[in-house]
Amino acid sequence: MSNSKPRRQLKFGVVPTGVGGPGEHNRWLDPEIPADASVDIDWYIDVARQAEAAKFDLVFIVDSQFITPHSPPHYLNRLEPLTLLSALAVATSRIGLVGTATTSYNDPYNLARRLASLDLISRGRAGWNVVTSGDAGTAGNYGKDEHYDYATRYARAHEYLDVTRGLWRSYEDGALVRDRATGVFLDPTKLHALNHKGEFFSVVGPLNIQRSPQGEPVIFQAGDSEQGRDLGAAIADGIFTHAQTVEQGRAFYDDIKGRAAKLGRDPDQIVILPGTNVTIGDTDENAREIARHWHAQDHSFVQALGELGRSFGWHDFSQYELDAPFPTEALEHARRSFFTNAKKVTDHAAAQGLTLRQVVENSRTLRASPFVGSAETVANEIARWFEARAFDGLNIYAGHPSQFRRFTGEVIPLLQERGLFRTDYEADTLRGNLGLTIPANRRDGGAGDAATLHPALDAVAA
């Protein structure tokens, strides 16, 4: 028997952002997109079924819980992720279902139960994109005067993941006997309370739901700060990121997998899946024309000026003179928001001596996806990044419907012909299709001890 590993293959997710996410405020004008797509379950089902027919690994639902009039259309009016994914679970059979939920504004017991329910409803296809909430205004929707600072958000997230995974392991395998002949439903020796008391949470447990065929939901994480990378390396099965060049992609890939290895984790048990737009044309130039066309339509200067404030805690940049130097003092408003991105914008503006107008115009500059061209060109580029280990696969934004159809209908077959992507699903669970092992459900004395249950988290916390 050969001990060689199976050939590494691409993984694909689809990210439905309905009527238009950041930088695409006018996508809803495309007549192919229902004007209420972001709350239309039939539209989501159609996208999920297209992706499943193409053998995609997962549907990835992004989310936030604070809006302003400057938010993009998809953010203004969209379905709650776990409710949406529960509907998709009964409309699909093999594709994974990943939803975003924040550790800052959910109680661990409640969220652990909702995710475990989705995992059972889908028969082991659920995933959780762990976020700490970058929109600082979310605090006001949960009765708080201000959002947690960075250090608190990530410390809380570490403990939150520890509690959640402990709750998911409340029942040992075989605990629910269900033996009608003997009248025994439960083996009580295999049910364990958590009895967690930590800095942020006190949770007794146990959780009142069994594990799924994949053990527990797959954990995804997105975050480019040092704290975000540490959290991802410690707890994530999958990483959602962005990269403009193969060199950037490889640097991130090596960094995350290196951090995971130092924590005693198998780096092959983390899949790196950057999010990207893909544009397919009859020729490379035709694809570039299509990309330029939609970019020109999707985002005006006024819309970009309003959206610039998001990373800065939705600071209002319209109060400043457009042709004066970029107001670097605005960075203070980002301390409890998307600080990493806001600092990049501020530092670049200061270094280059840019005005506010130039910063806004710079944000509107078309930064073409690396994956623009004919089907063959795009397939070649995806293969190049994959073989360079700049990623394990991609999360494809389902933007304009005609483009997603061209990707699944033209690019996917080329990758399949090269043996780089599956022609059928390998498993019935998300974890199985991603090539991830089922987490052990071991107990040492029954108590939810962070050091014994989750050594990687414990190492990072230390």
Side-chain angles (χ1 to χ4, degrees):
M1 180 181 293
S2 172
N3 291 322
S4 63
K5 291 184 178 180
R7 182 181 180 184
R8 182 167 165 261
Q9 288 195 319
L10 284 156
K11 309 300 178 186
F12 284 115
V14 60
V15 187
T17 51
V19 291
E24 297 179 314
H25 283 63
N26 299 322
R27 187 205 293 161
W28 65 276
L29 296 173
D30 182 343
E32 276 202 271
I33 300 174
D36 63 349
S38 297
V39 292
D40 181 352
I41 190 57
D42 292 329
W43 178 82
Y44 284 102
I45 289 172
D46 180 58
V47 172
R49 285 177 171 169
Q50 286 183 57
E52 187 170 66
K55 313 306 177 188
F56 272 47
D57 291 84
L58 55 97
V59 179
F60 194 104
I61 304 298
V62 297
D63 193 42
S64 65
Q65 297 180 67
F66 177 74
I67 60 171
T68 79
H70 298 298
S71 299
H74 179 63
Y75 286 32
L76 292 172
N77 185 30
R78 59 178 163 180
L79 297 175
E80 189 278 320
L82 298 189
T83 308
L84 163 60
L85 291 171
S86 294
L88 294 184
V90 296
T92 57
S93 61
R94 305 294 287 279
I95 195 166
L97 306 164
V98 181
T100 299
T102 177
T103 58
S104 295
Y105 300 105
N106 282 294
D107 286 327
Y109 188 94
N110 186 33
L111 185 56
R113 188 183 187 202
R114 287 159 57 204
L115 284 161
S117 296
L118 174 63
D119 211 18
L120 283 180
I121 291 169
S122 64
R123 296 180 174 86
R125 294 184 286 134
W128 173 22
N129 177 38
V130 179
V131 298
T132 64
S133 290
D135 277 320
T138 308
N141 290 332
Y142 287 87
K144 296 186 178 298
D145 293 332
E146 62 179 5
H147 191 28
Y148 302 110
D149 61 32
Y150 248 58
T152 302
R153 281 160 57 186
Y154 280 97
R156 180 184 168 97
H158 279 288
E159 185 178 337
Y160 197 113
L161 266 293
D162 198 30
V163 171
T164 303
R165 282 179 160 166
L167 288 170
W168 284 337
R169 299 168 191 183
S170 294
Y171 282 110
E172 290 184 35
D173 296 341
L176 296 167
V177 181
R178 302 187 183 101
D179 187 337
R180 285 179 169 147
T182 62
V184 175
F185 187 83
L186 168 70
D187 177 352
T189 67
K190 294 184 177 181
L191 175 63
H192 304 281
L194 186 64
N195 294 321
H196 174 90
K197 288 188 180 296
E199 180 181 359
F200 300 99
F201 305 106
S202 177
V203 183
V204 175
L207 189 67
N208 58 343
I209 192 167
Q210 69 180 68
R211 300 219 305 171
S212 82
Q214 69 171 354
E216 55 200 51
V218 176
I219 300 295
F220 285 81
Q221 191 270 343
D224 197 34
S225 66
E226 285 298 306
Q227 298 98 321
R229 291 186 184 211
D230 280 343
L231 180 64
I235 59 91
D237 303 302
I239 302 286
F240 185 66
T241 183
H242 294 88
Q244 279 297 117
T245 67
V246 70
E247 292 78 17
Q248 290 174 2
R250 184 164 184 173
F252 181 87
Y253 188 99
D254 290 345
D255 182 54
I256 291 293
K257 301 225 173 187
R259 292 181 194 225
K262 288 178 182 177
L263 293 171
R265 297 190 64 196
D266 178 357
D268 289 340
Q269 289 296 300
I270 305 176
V271 292
I272 311 292
L273 303 174
T276 190
N277 290 299
V278 176
T279 305
I280 315 297
D282 296 334
T283 65
D284 291 355
E285 180 53 36
N286 176 235
R288 288 190 286 267
E289 289 175 1
I290 293 170
R292 286 192 293 266
H293 167 76
W294 286 122
H295 178 76
Q297 300 292 318
D298 281 345
H299 207 204
S300 71
F301 181 90
V302 171
Q303 289 165 335
L305 177 63
E307 192 174 60
L308 177 64
R310 187 185 185 214
S311 292
F312 296 80
W314 285 111
H315 185 58
D316 181 11
F317 281 95
S318 68
Q319 63 186 289
Y320 300 104
E321 169 58 48
L322 286 172
D323 295 310
F326 181 80
T328 55
E329 66 272 16
L331 184 61
E332 287 303 310
H333 297 278
R335 292 290 175 187
R336 295 173 188 265
S337 192
F338 295 99
F339 183 77
T340 301
N341 186 61
K343 191 172 188 308
K344 286 181 181 177
V345 171
T346 304
D347 289 350
H348 178 72
Q352 300 297 317
L354 302 180
T355 65
L356 174 58
R357 185 188 302 277
Q358 288 171 323
V359 169
V360 175
E361 289 290 8
N362 187 49
S363 75
R364 296 182 66 228
T365 300
L366 175 59
R367 292 174 178 81
S369 159
F371 311 106
V372 176
S374 68
E376 185 173 1
T377 293
V378 170
N380 288 341
E381 192 65 2
I382 289 174
R384 185 173 78 89
W385 281 56
F386 178 66
E387 290 163 355
R389 293 188 180 266
F391 58 50
D392 294 307
L394 289 169
N395 273 310
I396 306 294
Y397 288 103
H400 294 281
S402 60
Q403 282 299 311
F404 188 59
R405 287 195 301 271
R406 291 197 74 163
F407 182 80
T408 58
E410 299 177 33
V411 177
I412 290 293
L414 293 175
L415 295 170
Q416 290 170 329
E417 288 172 10
R418 301 178 194 188
L420 293 176
F421 187 60
R422 66 169 65 90
T423 56
D424 202 359
Y425 287 106
E426 299 87 5
D428 294 324
T429 67
L430 174 57
R431 199 173 286 277
N433 286 318
L434 290 174
L436 304 173
T437 58
I438 296 175
N441 192 15
R442 293 189 298 271
R443 286 281 174 173
D444 295 315
D449 183 346
T452 56
L453 283 176
H454 317 299
L457 269 179
D458 190 61
V460 170

